[in-house]
Amino acid sequence: MTLKNTTHRWGGVSKTLHWLIALLILALGIVGLVMGEFPKTPKYFWIYTMHKSIGITVLVLVALRLLWRLYAGAPHAVPGTPGWQERIASLTHWLLYLLMFALPLSGWLYDSASGLRPFKLFGLVEMPKLVAPSESASQVSHALHEYGFWVLILLVLAHAGAALYHHIHQRDATLVRMLPDGWLPTPQKDSA
């Protein structure tokens, strides 16, 4: 497997960042949905700190992924893909990038504006506040964080659904080329 993207396949760096970010976002989403239900014990504050720390990690990984994509390029669409599907896929990818930046930043902004004491990234490095305490900034950033999450979920479902559609219905390599090598065979088009 090559590290750099080719014209017809994602490379190892892109695949690793894609699946690592997806896994971290899944964990953040699950924890984010249930952490308000936890009793206010020391574990509660540890969970919040971990949620924030992993969110900042996602922010850094997404920045690296975007820089890598700008450097390494992206594979061309699978031959035979209609232009409208290419345009929708491109728009979806850029909206996903936008949200993957917006969610951690809005969470960090919410933490900053809420007036809480600074949190330490994984308990080690104190994170700077982005803004002074502000009720209005706190409310707006919290709403962006919460509603942005649901928009992200919808886009991820559309993204995954499109990949499965290409694999099952179109029978092309769209999905296979982002999976680790050998996980799925490239589907063969029916010869009619």
Side-chain angles (χ1 to χ4, degrees):
M1 168 175 47
T2 178
L3 293 179
K4 197 170 176 189
N5 303 333
T6 67
T7 56
H8 18 339
R9 193 159 179 82
W10 294 99
V13 172
S14 293
K15 288 180 187 183
T16 300
L17 288 171
H18 177 276
W19 292 108
L20 179 58
I21 291 167
L23 184 64
L24 290 174
I25 288 173
L26 177 64
L28 284 168
I30 292 168
V31 171
L33 288 171
V34 299
M35 68 185 177
E37 306 301 318
F38 294 130
K40 305 288 192 272
T41 65
K43 283 184 183 179
Y44 169 86
F45 296 104
W46 180 86
I47 290 169
Y48 261 83
T49 299
M50 290 309 294
H51 180 81
K52 295 171 190 178
S53 297
I54 294 171
I56 296 299
T57 302
V58 167
L59 181 64
V60 170
L61 290 173
V62 171
L64 289 173
R65 182 173 176 198
L66 182 58
L67 290 171
W68 180 258
R69 182 172 176 165
L70 294 173
Y71 165 73
H76 300 301
V78 171
T81 302
W84 66 269
Q85 285 183 5
E86 287 184 50
R87 289 186 295 278
I88 290 174
S90 179
L91 175 65
T92 302
H93 282 117
W94 290 110
L95 287 172
L96 284 167
Y97 277 116
L98 176 70
L99 285 166
M100 288 186 292
F101 278 110
L103 284 172
L105 286 172
S106 64
W108 190 0
L109 187 62
Y110 171 60
D111 181 74
S112 299
S114 65
L116 299 172
R117 63 187 167 107
F119 80 95
K120 290 186 176 182
L121 187 69
F122 295 107
L124 301 171
V125 178
E126 190 171 294
M127 295 299 293
K129 295 290 187 179
L130 298 177
V131 296
S134 163
E135 183 65 30
S136 62
S138 175
Q139 289 175 353
V140 168
S141 57
H142 184 263
L144 286 171
H145 194 66
E146 185 175 341
Y147 295 119
F149 168 73
W150 293 110
V151 174
L152 178 66
I153 292 299
L154 291 174
L155 281 173
V156 166
L157 290 173
H159 177 69
L164 289 171
Y165 171 80
H166 275 271
H167 189 75
I168 295 166
H169 181 70
Q170 297 292 104
R171 304 188 64 71
D172 66 30
T174 300
L175 173 62
V176 173
R177 63 191 193 163
M178 182 48 94
L179 292 174
D181 291 341
W183 274 33
L184 278 178
T186 302
Q188 301 299 313
K189 292 197 182 250
D190 296 329
S191 54

